[in-house]
Amino acid sequence: MPNKTQKNNRIWSKIILLLLFPILLYSCYNAERNCADFKTGKFKSEITINGEKKHTISIRTDSIVIETYEGKTDTASIRWINDCEYVLQKINPKSMAEKKAIDIKILTTSKNSYTFEFGVVGSADKQKGVAYKL
């Protein structure tokens, strides 16, 4: 017959296992990131600005991106840092703000879309969006 100490040890062991199990499950979860599938092609991006959804259509090759946003088309060079992160630099900036490079990081991917965050290079201020491959 087990003594009181052995019973307490078993109870604590079960409690620890119950607490660790969700942590182990969470740590094993890795968001899918097949970023190479989205390096080139035609995309529709969606971001929310001041509560309003905005859309951009982009055609991306290995070296440039042609974007149409609110009826205006612009071209930027693209430099890939790794499979999931790249920097855009407008080719013909018309203002000081347009001269600033934009860093884009793909956070997760699915079959036909990816979630990304973006912001001015060097800035901690980031926004998120979703891009759909067309």
Side-chain angles (χ1 to χ4, degrees):
M1 180 132 205
N3 65 30
K4 190 173 181 179
T5 304
Q6 289 173 328
K7 284 183 182 180
N8 284 340
N9 285 344
R10 282 192 209 144
I11 291 171
W12 279 109
S13 295
K14 289 179 182 180
I15 291 171
I16 290 171
L17 283 174
L18 287 173
L19 292 174
L20 286 177
F21 187 70
I23 294 169
L24 289 172
L25 283 178
Y26 180 77
S27 66
C28 291
Y29 173 76
N30 285 325
E32 182 182 359
R33 283 181 33 161
N34 296 320
C35 302
D37 295 346
F38 299 98
K39 279 194 162 186
T40 61
K42 187 173 182 179
F43 304 91
K44 179 179 181 179
S45 300
E46 185 177 278
I47 61 170
T48 302
I49 300 174
N50 297 326
E52 187 178 340
K53 286 190 179 183
K54 301 285 186 173
H55 298 94
T56 302
I57 300 294
S58 304
I59 300 171
R60 189 160 55 224
T61 69
D62 289 334
S63 59
I64 64 167
V65 177
I66 301 168
E67 292 186 331
T68 303
Y69 175 73
E70 295 187 335
K72 297 178 184 176
T73 302
D74 219 334
T75 305
S77 64
I78 185 169
R79 179 176 53 88
W80 286 90
I81 295 170
N82 57 50
D83 278 349
C84 295
E85 187 172 4
Y86 59 94
V87 175
L88 295 179
Q89 182 74 53
K90 289 207 176 192
I91 292 177
N92 296 309
K94 295 172 181 63
S95 67
M96 289 301 289
E98 288 184 357
K99 287 184 180 184
K100 296 178 181 178
I102 304 297
D103 178 58
I104 300 172
K105 184 182 290 186
I106 298 173
L107 303 174
T108 62
T109 64
S110 66
K111 183 178 178 185
N112 295 315
S113 67
Y114 63 89
T115 302
F116 62 95
E117 72 175 12
F118 67 98
V120 174
V121 170
S123 171
D125 188 27
K126 304 288 183 190
Q127 289 183 280
K128 288 188 179 180
V130 178
Y132 302 92
K133 194 162 192 175
L134 301 176

